[in-house]
Amino acid sequence: ALDPAPARARHRRAAALAKLGPSRAAEAAEEYARVAAAHPGHAGVAAEAEAAAEAARHFRAEEDSKRSGPAESSVSETRKLTKPTRTIPRAPRTATELERGCVSLRDDPDSLLAFLSSVEDEALPALLKHSVSAKILGAYCVAFERAGVAGDGEKNAEAKKKIAATLAALARSPRFALAAASLAAADKAAIAR
């Protein structure tokens, strides 16, 4: 392994770049790759490196779709809820498991929605007994947007009631207001729709 002192600094840099948002995801992925090379076999570093690489791929795909014009983006916007494309992790038993699932499934909204649906609203305050993170709250925003509750109708009314109940359960978690204030702009826009 490489000298660990610079690797720790690179790890802090990679984490900071990842927190700066999707536009810096490629830089974060590069730094995490260097950290992973310095710490081969470290599961936590490997997971962070993979999450950063996924975020970079997702950002590149979004940028490519913006450049390709309205024809392709309208297809993705009208895509209906489909069967999840990944294996969904079991229902989380801890806040850490919930956050890891949210981060790993973030770029697959159908799988994310299926994963978050496995968590009962009544269990959320106990599961998030210390605090809810902006990552978890942002994942719920993406899942709610994916559920497609726009418009009227009995099915949409039921979906809106379920979302309201889930938000009420999340709001009972400690530090909910701080997590809500820390949401990324895209997540705030998703929940506003």
Side-chain angles (χ1 to χ4, degrees):
L2 301 174
D3 182 16
R8 281 194 297 259
R10 285 194 180 278
H11 187 252
R12 286 191 296 272
R13 176 175 158 67
L17 286 167
K19 288 193 181 277
L20 287 175
S23 63
R24 304 295 294 271
E27 291 175 79
E30 290 173 18
E31 287 297 327
Y32 273 123
R34 291 182 185 112
V35 174
H39 298 287
H42 191 287
V45 169
E48 290 171 349
E50 178 58 31
E54 281 185 38
R57 284 190 296 271
H58 183 68
F59 179 72
R60 278 192 299 270
E62 282 183 3
E63 289 298 308
D64 290 345
S65 69
K66 286 178 187 176
R67 280 188 230 113
S68 66
E72 281 188 36
S73 63
S74 64
V75 170
S76 66
E77 288 174 17
T78 59
R79 190 174 83 111
K80 298 294 180 197
L81 186 62
T82 61
K83 189 175 183 181
T85 58
R86 292 188 189 166
T87 303
I88 308 301
R90 64 177 165 73
R93 294 179 297 199
T94 66
T96 302
E97 288 178 1
L98 178 61
E99 187 166 322
R100 281 185 185 154
C102 290
V103 169
S104 69
L105 298 172
R106 179 81 186 227
D107 64 334
D108 184 357
D110 295 325
S111 297
L112 178 63
L113 181 60
F115 173 69
L116 293 176
S117 297
S118 72
V119 182
E120 296 295 324
D121 293 343
E122 299 79 28
L124 280 172
L127 188 65
L128 302 168
K129 58 186 163 201
H130 297 293
S131 69
V132 62
S133 71
K135 289 179 184 177
I136 293 172
L137 195 55
Y140 272 98
C141 294
V142 169
F144 292 158
E145 181 183 38
R146 186 70 188 143
V149 295
D152 295 325
E154 192 173 312
K155 185 177 179 182
N156 287 340
E158 289 176 32
K160 288 178 182 179
K161 285 181 186 176
K162 169 71 172 131
I163 288 171
T166 302
L167 282 173
L170 284 168
R172 289 192 297 271
S173 301
R175 299 187 183 124
F176 173 81
L178 179 64
S182 301
L183 280 175
D187 293 336
K188 288 179 183 178
I191 198 68
R193 288 180 220 143

